[in-house]
Amino acid sequence: MIMDSRAAHPAPMRQSMPTPNPATDASSAGLPTAQRVTRLLGERLELVEDLWETVLRSECPPEQAERLLRLKRLSDPTEGEAGGTGDASGGDATAAIVQLIREMDLAEAIAAARAFSLYFQLVNILEQHIEEDSYLDSLKNQDSCPSDPFLPALANQTDPATFRQLFARLRNLNVPPAQLENLLRTLDLRLVFTAHPTEIVRHTVRHKQRRVATLIQQLEQGSGLNGLERQSLRLQLEEEIRLWWRTDELHQFKPTVLDEVDYALHYFQQVLFDAMPQLRDRIRGALQVSYPDVEPPRDAFCTFGSWVGSDRDGNPSVTPDITWRTACYQRQLMLERYIKAVAELRDQLSISMQWSQVSPALLESLEMDRLRFPEIYEERAARYRLEPYRLKLSYTLERLRLTHQRNQQLADAGWESPCDGNAPPPPMGGNLAAPPSQELHYSTVDEFRNDLELIQDSLKGTGLSCESLQHLISQAQIFAFCLASLDIRQESTRHSDALDELSRYLQLPVPYGEMDEEQRVAWLLAELQTRRPLVPATARWSAPAAETFAVFRMLQRLQQEFGSRICRTYVISMSHTVSDLLEVLLLAKEAGLVDPLAQRAGLLVVPLFETVEDLQGAPAVMATLFRHPFYRALLASDGSQPLQEVMLGYSDSNKDSGFLSSNWEIHKAQIALQRLAIEHGVALRIFHGRGGSVGRGGGPAYQAILAQPSGTLNGRIKITEQGEVLASKYSLPELALYNLETVTTAVLQNSLVSTPVDDTPSWNTLMGRLAARSRDHYRALVHDNPDLVAFFQQVTPIEEISKLQISSRPARRKSGAKDLSSLRAIPWVFGWTQSRFLLPSWFGVGAALQEELDQDPDQLELLRLLYQRWPFFRMLISKVEMTLSKVDLDLAHHYVQALGRSEHREAFEQIFQTIAAEFALTRDLVLTITGHSRLLDGDPALQLSVDLRNRTIIPLGFLQVALLRRLRDQNRQPPMSEATSNPSDDGRTYSRSELLRGALLTINGIAAGMRNTG
């Protein structure tokens, strides 16, 4: 057996939701969105469960398949296995689950873990299609929505709006066209993909999932299919899932940074490249309906960034060479897409000069191209003698191919190589490109776009248009040749350490490391404003300092070759002081990225304020910088004002002070920073470092953006998109468009419709009290309890998580350190999620609310009012409610009892009771404030989804505990020993590697079931 002899005590019956009654007619047209989603989930779940059962019966021995199916029935009381619906039956079901797991050998336990992981991933695919279908349905029915008199005030709306709906409502509110046009003119949305260690699914498995998703969609939408066609699709589905079943879910090796780059860029290749022109068309079409005279935003109103291959904070694998190769790889992908698109355009634009006029400008460019590419002219002129567009596109194709060839040479040669094959490297600040008269490749994307626009203008002059051409021009605007801008990120002490080493080499009277903050700022500003080199070219440095200097030299080379768009942002994590920013500027100046005489910088230095203390001190830091004329002069311009970007970190502030305190400090910091920016005439762009989970700032983006303080966005926002959410947001075209459209409408809505409640003094005072109390309660448990670190390490699978081959970055900032401060926020949240505590997302909220009510019971009515009227407070309570709905303290208690060591039993039980009491208090108060009878009553579709997952995930939790217990008992043995001093009751023994594999598979399954990791 694999189950430890200490079985869990029978748990009380978990609250469940009745099984949906599938309609005979799959159509749910006319139903409210929530009801429609609920019905679709009920209808389509039958297909998924039938497929799952069929595959298990095909792939597992009959007795094993029956036990797995029984395990599934036991985990779902609505299926009647336990008999009845009372508490006793719930306890009986749990006891039966425990007994079944006891009887499993390791092979069957692994099969169970894989089976439930497969089930949840099929359900995830199903829900993604339902989200996509709901969005398409909202597009069909959007015309009727604006006239509904019962819609909530736009400032209080929580359901995502389409462009058509938003513009119609703005028109009804008499928002002036000029005001909307001014906002659209400066609209700037930036979504930054990251590679944090949260994406747990292999690339290979993702390919299987996409194939299955496509087949399910064809089957669901195939109303016109005959019986044979439906049967064929069904057989293909079964075959594909069986292939998936026989594919290893675990990564075979730790992914390299370039593996992560490939994974993240997949979404651009498969979905976003084609989706972005459609987003442009939708916003333009919606404006035509409600604001026909308003000029649409520029094509590149929404662009993308990436940390994958450039985020070096704590990741020694991200070297200058890796960042260079990442940039080359991104350009390669874009060039290949452009080559394909231009080739297709050449086939399409077969217009003959015999039947259509051609602009003189196009004819003139053809003559220039003939001189530059005589071989292309000789090859193509006869064929395309009277087809000028095809001839022009042939020249364009050749230039793209030459650009692609040059890019490959640069990737192979590396960033330190000469700029061109045999040419010597140019001097610092020189031009990497060859003289224009000799260039045959495209040195900039503008040259490529100009060729396309020349064709477009000629077509327009004769009354023609070409949608494919327009889409390609839009893609060139949005993605350029770089696809996504790379943000460099590095921890602040790396820069100060390098400068300290430099100062000691230069024998400064006071080494940099011994200067106080005032001395540092004075020295840095003095050095920034001189052209004298500071870093000797021939000196030898320690490895960290040498790499720090090399990063800036690589950046200068990168901008010379690719243009400034490829990498212009440098994020300083753990920013505390003014000197943290000036240090980066000085290092950039030494590499030629800052010109002290012209007072221009090729790099935007972005502080990342992460802890509560740093968030509180952020306005003072930025005020000091804004007051210095030289720093202000270095700021990039958004066209009319100097632009400062500031990043706010949700993860570490949450780990430091808890959910409520973190969110309130970020909210306050935004308001203070915006006021400061206005005072100094600076445009501010807030960069939100949101994670996928609520404990790291995650949750629905629409509501989160609406909850931002009024007046802080002004049409500008930058948001991280974590690895774990990429698949749920960008794996399907309409799902990607839904996410992009709702983010855009939320930014427009927040920027145009003010909510002055953010300035209500009494409300802010109340929130300040709640945040302080919540923080005290959180820190008393997490930071002040001496047993908490041991509790976390023993009763969550944190150590096993670190063994998952899911990231190129280590789980801890300092190797070997076991303290809480060294642990990254992502595995911190991951561990609590796996064990079903989800503590970082809610702990401390209930105690803070209760203390407020103890002081004044009448405050309950005010709290209810805040939930109704204040988007920020409603967002907080909604996130807590959603997280609480996923908590399972019965299962969590089993982790404590089975995995906690005997010497900690009493201390761990006290910690658990503290958590359980806070959970009950928080749940009851959230229900009281929202007026709901059950958690998530306000969102029936989400409630159904969470209920389904909660009850079905139970066996995986018990399996995980059993495997972890056995694995940890084996840790005293040699790594690959088959022998054990503590054999199970049936005499079976397993190697540590086998048990670790089983445990890691349960981690995969629970991550899929919870729909998030860290």
Side-chain angles (χ1 to χ4, degrees), residues 201-210 247-248:
V201 181
R202 284 184 67 199
H203 209 9
T204 300
V205 174
R206 282 281 182 229
H207 283 297
K208 302 289 182 191
Q209 290 174 345
R210 280 190 299 276
T247 300
D248 198 345

Side-chain angles (χ1 to χ4, degrees), residues 324-344:
W324 175 264
R325 291 170 65 188
T326 298
C328 291
Y329 182 40
Q330 290 186 179
R331 182 157 67 174
Q332 172 192 326
L333 292 183
M334 291 314 304
L335 289 169
E336 288 171 355
R337 290 303 302 259
Y338 292 146
I339 287 170
K340 179 182 176 184
V342 170
E344 291 172 353

